[in-house]
Protein backbone atom coordinates (compact mmCIF):
# COMPACT_ATOMS: atom_id res chain seq x y z
CA UNK A 1 0.00 0.00 0.00
CA UNK A 2 2.85 2.40 0.77
CA UNK A 3 4.33 1.88 -2.70
CA UNK A 4 0.98 2.49 -4.39
CA UNK A 5 0.32 5.57 -2.28
CA UNK A 6 3.71 7.06 -3.10
CA UNK A 7 3.29 6.38 -6.82
CA UNK A 8 -0.30 7.65 -6.90
CA UNK A 9 0.66 10.94 -5.27
CA UNK A 10 3.08 11.79 -8.07
CA UNK A 11 1.32 10.10 -11.01
CA UNK A 12 -2.26 11.12 -10.26
CA UNK A 13 -3.99 12.42 -13.36
CA UNK A 14 -1.43 10.83 -15.67
CA UNK A 15 -2.22 7.12 -15.30
CA UNK A 16 -5.22 4.83 -15.55
CA UNK A 17 -4.37 2.60 -12.60
CA UNK A 18 -1.72 0.99 -10.45
CA UNK A 19 -2.10 -2.79 -10.42
CA UNK A 20 -0.61 -5.14 -7.85
CA UNK A 21 0.21 -8.27 -9.86
CA UNK A 22 2.37 -11.35 -9.41
CA UNK A 23 2.33 -13.92 -6.64
CA UNK A 24 2.16 -11.44 -3.76
CA UNK A 25 -1.19 -10.22 -5.14
CA UNK A 26 -2.82 -13.67 -4.91
CA UNK A 27 -4.17 -14.76 -1.52
CA UNK A 28 -2.47 -17.91 -0.18
CA UNK A 29 0.11 -18.03 -2.95
CA UNK A 30 3.70 -18.65 -1.88
CA UNK A 31 5.75 -15.64 -2.90
CA UNK A 32 9.12 -14.02 -2.51
CA UNK A 33 8.93 -10.75 -0.55
CA UNK A 34 9.02 -8.72 -3.76
CA UNK A 35 5.95 -6.85 -5.02
CA UNK A 36 5.22 -6.67 -8.77
CA UNK A 37 3.49 -3.46 -9.85
CA UNK A 38 2.06 -2.54 -13.23
CA UNK A 39 1.34 1.13 -13.90
CA UNK A 40 -1.32 1.31 -16.60
CA UNK A 41 -1.20 4.26 -19.01
CA UNK A 42 -2.82 5.51 -22.18
CA UNK A 43 -0.33 6.93 -24.66
CA UNK A 44 1.69 9.18 -22.37
CA UNK A 45 4.73 7.07 -21.58
CA UNK A 46 7.26 9.92 -21.78
CA UNK A 47 5.35 11.99 -19.21
CA UNK A 48 5.05 9.05 -16.81
CA UNK A 49 8.70 8.12 -17.36
CA UNK A 50 9.71 11.70 -16.52
CA UNK A 51 7.56 11.76 -13.37
CA UNK A 52 8.98 8.42 -12.25
CA UNK A 53 12.52 9.74 -12.73
CA UNK A 54 11.75 12.56 -10.26
CA UNK A 55 10.93 9.81 -7.75
CA UNK A 56 14.23 7.96 -8.22
CA UNK A 57 13.05 5.40 -10.80
CA UNK A 58 15.36 4.63 -13.71
CA UNK A 59 14.01 3.35 -17.03
CA UNK A 60 15.60 0.04 -18.08
CA UNK A 61 13.74 -0.51 -21.36
CA UNK A 62 11.55 -3.52 -22.07
CA UNK A 63 14.19 -6.08 -20.94
CA UNK A 64 13.16 -8.31 -23.83
CA UNK A 65 9.41 -8.27 -23.15
CA UNK A 66 7.63 -6.15 -25.74
CA UNK A 67 5.01 -3.79 -24.35
CA UNK A 68 6.35 -3.76 -20.80
CA UNK A 69 8.74 -1.00 -19.75
CA UNK A 70 10.77 -1.84 -16.64
CA UNK A 71 12.10 0.54 -14.01
CA UNK A 72 14.69 0.05 -11.29
CA UNK A 73 15.02 2.45 -8.41
CA UNK A 74 17.31 4.09 -5.90
CA UNK A 75 16.51 5.53 -2.50
CA UNK A 76 13.47 3.42 -1.72
CA UNK A 77 14.72 1.73 1.44
CA UNK A 78 11.52 2.81 3.19
CA UNK A 79 9.44 0.68 0.79
CA UNK A 80 9.16 -3.06 0.31
CA UNK A 81 11.34 -4.36 -2.51
CA UNK A 82 9.42 -4.19 -5.78
CA UNK A 83 9.49 -4.56 -9.53
CA UNK A 84 7.89 -1.68 -11.39
CA UNK A 85 6.55 -1.81 -14.94
CA UNK A 86 4.68 0.67 -17.11
CA UNK A 87 2.28 -0.76 -19.68
CA UNK A 88 -0.27 0.60 -22.11
CA UNK A 89 -3.88 -0.18 -21.17
CA UNK A 90 -4.21 -2.60 -24.09
CA UNK A 91 -0.80 -4.31 -23.74
CA UNK A 92 -0.77 -8.09 -24.02
CA UNK A 93 1.60 -8.35 -21.04
CA UNK A 94 -0.88 -6.47 -18.85
CA UNK A 95 -3.65 -8.86 -19.93
CA UNK A 96 -1.38 -11.79 -19.10
CA UNK A 97 -0.51 -10.45 -15.64
CA UNK A 98 -4.16 -9.76 -14.75
CA UNK A 99 -5.42 -13.03 -16.22
CA UNK A 100 -2.93 -15.15 -14.28
CA UNK A 101 -3.80 -13.33 -11.07
CA UNK A 102 -7.53 -13.74 -11.61
CA UNK A 103 -7.26 -17.37 -12.71
CA UNK A 104 -5.21 -18.47 -9.69
CA UNK A 105 -7.49 -16.55 -7.32
CA UNK A 106 -10.54 -18.36 -8.74
CA UNK A 107 -9.03 -21.85 -9.19
CA UNK A 108 -7.63 -23.13 -5.89
CA UNK A 109 -6.54 -26.43 -7.45
CA UNK A 110 -4.25 -24.58 -9.88
CA UNK A 111 -3.03 -22.33 -7.09
CA UNK A 112 -1.94 -25.40 -5.10
CA UNK A 113 -0.09 -26.81 -8.12
CA UNK A 114 1.56 -23.46 -8.83
CA UNK A 115 2.47 -22.92 -5.19
CA UNK A 116 4.04 -26.37 -4.95
CA UNK A 117 5.98 -25.77 -8.16
CA UNK A 118 7.27 -22.42 -6.88
CA UNK A 119 8.43 -23.97 -3.59
CA UNK A 120 10.24 -26.80 -5.42
CA UNK A 121 11.92 -24.37 -7.80
CA UNK A 122 12.95 -22.06 -4.95
CA UNK A 123 14.69 -25.01 -3.23
CA UNK A 124 16.28 -26.22 -6.45
CA UNK A 125 17.43 -22.77 -7.66
CA UNK A 126 17.92 -20.60 -4.55
CA UNK A 127 20.44 -18.32 -6.27
CA UNK A 128 19.45 -18.71 -9.92
CA UNK A 129 16.44 -16.52 -10.64
CA UNK A 130 16.55 -17.21 -14.38
CA UNK A 131 16.16 -20.98 -13.85
CA UNK A 132 13.46 -20.33 -11.25
CA UNK A 133 11.47 -18.20 -13.71
CA UNK A 134 12.03 -20.66 -16.56
CA UNK A 135 10.80 -23.49 -14.36
CA UNK A 136 7.45 -21.75 -13.87
CA UNK A 137 7.08 -20.88 -17.52
CA UNK A 138 5.31 -23.98 -18.90
CA UNK A 139 2.66 -23.88 -16.15
CA UNK A 140 1.99 -20.19 -16.77
CA UNK A 141 1.96 -20.68 -20.55
CA UNK A 142 -0.77 -23.32 -20.18
CA UNK A 143 -2.97 -20.81 -18.36
CA UNK A 144 -2.32 -18.20 -21.04
CA UNK A 145 -3.33 -20.74 -23.70
CA UNK A 146 -6.64 -21.35 -21.90
CA UNK A 147 -7.45 -17.67 -22.33
CA UNK A 148 -6.04 -17.42 -25.89
CA UNK A 149 -3.27 -15.07 -24.82
CA UNK A 150 -0.59 -17.01 -26.72
Amino acid sequence: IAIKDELAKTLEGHIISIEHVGSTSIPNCPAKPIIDIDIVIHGNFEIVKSLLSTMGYIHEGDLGIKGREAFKYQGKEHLMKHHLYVLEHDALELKKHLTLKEHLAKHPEDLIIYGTLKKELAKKFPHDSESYVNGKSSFIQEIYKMYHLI
Side-chain angles (χ1 to χ4, degrees), residues 55-111:
M55 300 175 67
Y57 288 95
I58 302 148
H59 183 225
E60 296 184 286
D62 68 10
L63 301 180
I65 299 178
K66 188 178 180 211
R68 185 195 79 175
E69 297 294 326
F71 288 78
K72 62 183 180 179
Y73 54 87
Q74 297 173 339
K76 300 288 179 198
E77 295 79 15
H78 62 290
L79 298 175
M80 189 169 177
K81 189 172 179 183
H82 57 284
H83 296 138
L84 184 71
Y85 306 104
V86 175
L87 302 100
E88 282 290 332
H89 68 285
D90 58 353
L92 178 59
E93 278 305 308
L94 176 63
K95 289 176 186 155
K96 287 179 175 181
H97 290 172
L98 296 175
T99 298
L100 180 64
K101 174 183 175 177
E102 186 175 309
H103 177 86
L104 291 175
K106 290 183 177 179
H107 296 89
E109 65 283 358
D110 285 344
L111 179 59

Side-chain angles (χ1 to χ4, degrees), residues 32 116-127 132:
K32 296 179 186 173
T116 301
L117 174 62
K118 287 178 54 113
K119 288 177 187 175
E120 289 171 0
L121 291 167
K123 285 180 189 169
K124 188 173 182 179
F125 303 111
H127 305 291
Y132 172 82

Side-chain angles (χ1 to χ4, degrees), residues 36-52:
D36 291 305
I37 299 171
D38 287 351
I39 296 174
V40 183
I41 63 168
H42 187 90
N44 58 340
F45 176 72
E46 291 301 322
I47 292 168
V48 172
K49 176 181 159 184
S50 177
L51 290 169
L52 287 171

